[in-house]
Amino acid sequence: MKELYNSFNSFLKKKFNNQKVKKIPINAGFPCPNKNGKISRKGCIFCDTYGSGPIKTFELPVAEQINRFIGNRKDFKYIAYYQAHTNTNAPVEELRKKYEIIFDFKEIVGLFIGTRPDSIADEVYPLLEELNGKTYLTVELGLQSIHAKSHELLNRNHTYSQFLETYEKLKNRHIDVVVHLIVGIPGESPADMLETIKEMNRLKPSGIKFHLMHVLKHTPLFDMYEKGEIKLMDKDEYVEVMIHLLEHLDPAIVIHRLTGERDKEIFHAPLWALNKHDVIHSIRSRMKELNSFQGKYFVNNSSQGE
Ligand code: SF4
């Protein structure tokens, strides 16, 4: 049966011969320049104090975080995901030291590095290239949208041109890139979101992680939401928009995530998003009803259908 979308799970199964692979979220202690004052002290309006990383193990040394996650589950393979804050924001030798910890764990088969598009210094690329030759490396770049008005609202403090420059440098070194996008940014219409998707079709990253715009506690977005300054999508709206975007997306691009996902302790709204399985189930059921699939309206040139 044709897959509804090109899921990360199916991709991993093919890549690792059906071996079960899990991602280990890691906080390696690299700071975010959008929070530590190098660029800004405010951070992105949606960002929590843990910088999207693990909230229970964040203070432990990296090796201990890995050990705790793996525990007795030695039959799985793992991808180390340097997730919290900006994981290329340190001198190159410090980066090397922390990345190379993964080679002490034979169960780890890949390294994913999450970072900002403006935070990979020129001297870091040779290190990334070297690691790419030793393991399955992916750099996850936070973009959220191609639109400057959205970057401004979110207080991203980088531009789309900076993203393009970094993206090209990584692609020229044959390093896989996964792009993070937010669906439902206040002020963005479905047409705006589709423009971002069309740019992804042009660039062809290895994967996309879709995040639902959601509100976490102790964030500037929380205050804006409580004051009624922004509106979030309801579940039906999200399902319809996600399907529309998937239908226009190149089917070769792997979907790493279809919705937002964060620990209950710090989550605020919308509450329906806490039930991730239900959101995914709703998207899948509706796609079946509509005979929909990823790439339904994708045309492999600059002009696209519908
Ligand atoms: S989302 Fe990323 S770039 Fe934005 S403040 Fe948080 S860690 Fe920094």
Side-chain angles (χ1 to χ4, degrees):
M1 196 182 82
K2 189 174 171 50
E3 277 205 287
L4 297 173
Y5 55 88
N6 188 0
S7 75
F8 186 47
N9 274 347
S10 309
F11 168 83
L12 285 176
K13 274 189 191 159
K14 277 180 228 146
K15 188 167 180 72
F16 295 104
N17 295 323
N18 287 321
Q19 171 77 54
K20 283 208 169 137
V21 181
K22 286 181 176 290
K23 265 172 113 178
I24 307 175
I26 293 170
N27 183 331
F30 300 122
C32 172
N34 201 26
K35 277 183 165 178
N36 74 355
K38 194 169 164 192
I39 299 174
S40 155
R41 289 210 175 271
K42 291 184 181 159
C44 302
I45 60 170
F46 55 85
C47 186
D48 60 83
T49 38
Y50 306 93
S52 307
I55 71 171
K56 295 195 175 82
T57 54
F58 75 101
E59 283 178 314
L60 299 173
V62 171
E64 186 52 25
Q65 292 180 51
I66 295 173
N67 270 323
R68 293 242 183 141
F69 191 93
I70 295 179
N72 294 327
R73 295 174 300 182
K74 302 282 180 196
D75 47 333
F76 286 92
K77 294 289 177 207
Y78 296 91
I79 289 171
Y81 178 25
Y82 286 64
Q83 181 181 30
H85 300 292
T86 306
N87 293 281
T88 50
N89 183 27
V92 73
E93 277 319 308
E94 188 185 332
L95 293 173
R96 175 187 288 284
K97 215 167 126 196
K98 287 196 175 162
Y99 296 156
E100 288 187 342
I101 292 170
I102 68 161
F103 297 121
D104 295 336
F105 295 86
K106 63 175 184 348
E107 303 90 344
I108 294 184
V109 292
L111 169 63
F112 279 34
I113 297 172
T115 193
R116 287 172 56 86
D118 59 354
S119 296
I120 308 182
D122 284 344
E123 60 274 21
V124 174
Y125 288 97
L127 171 62
L128 295 177
E129 211 169 358
E130 186 190 318
L131 291 164
N132 199 28
K134 290 182 177 168
T135 189
Y136 162 44
L137 177 73
T138 293
V139 174
E140 297 198 13
L141 289 179
L143 173 66
Q144 320 314 347
S145 164
I146 62 164
H147 300 289
K149 64 173 183 180
S150 298
H151 289 162
E152 201 175 317
L153 175 83
L154 300 174
N155 196 43
R156 290 291 299 171
N157 289 308
H158 65 72
T159 62
Y160 184 47
S161 320
Q162 284 172 305
F163 168 85
L164 287 176
E165 207 180 299
T166 300
Y167 181 82
E168 288 307 325
K169 286 182 186 169
L170 292 166
K171 290 311 273 182
N172 290 341
R173 287 167 175 82
H174 308 289
I175 295 169
D176 282 0
V177 178
V178 167
V179 182
H180 289 223
L181 298 177
I182 296 179
V183 173
I185 297 173
E188 279 205 7
S189 64
D192 291 330
M193 295 179 226
L194 195 53
E195 273 184 56
T196 298
I197 292 301
K198 288 184 176 176
E199 268 297 274
M200 295 303 109
N201 288 342
R202 184 180 73 79
L203 297 171
K204 303 197 183 310
S206 328
I208 294 182
K209 225 177 212 183
F210 288 104
H211 301 261
L212 154 76
M213 184 90 249
H214 60 273
V215 179
L216 301 176
K217 291 173 187 162
H218 313 297
T219 61
L221 191 63
F222 178 94
D223 300 331
M224 291 164 80
Y225 179 70
E226 286 300 298
K227 283 186 206 152
E229 290 171 8
I230 58 138
K231 192 181 161 295
L232 299 173
M233 281 181 162
D234 64 31
K235 191 173 93 179
D236 291 345
E237 228 178 322
Y238 187 70
V239 167
E240 294 304 319
V241 168
M242 266 317 308
I243 293 172
H244 180 65
L245 300 180
L246 286 173
E247 285 178 337
H248 288 81
L249 185 68
D250 183 341
I253 298 175
V254 177
I255 308 301
H256 285 239
R257 185 184 281 180
L258 265 186
T259 180
E261 175 184 325
R262 208 64 184 112
D263 304 67
K264 274 198 187 96
E265 296 93 315
I266 58 170
F267 195 91
H268 185 60
L271 287 178
W272 56 264
L274 276 177
N275 192 343
K276 183 185 144 197
H277 294 293
D278 175 63
V279 179
I280 294 172
H281 175 75
S282 302
I283 293 172
R284 293 181 65 91
S285 312
R286 184 76 180 130
M287 284 179 91
K288 283 181 196 157
E289 266 170 40
L290 297 170
N291 193 21
S292 169
F293 52 89
Q294 180 181 346
K296 186 173 181 180
Y297 300 117
F298 168 72
V299 179
N300 203 3
N301 57 34
S302 48
S303 70
Q304 292 189 38
E306 221 192 39

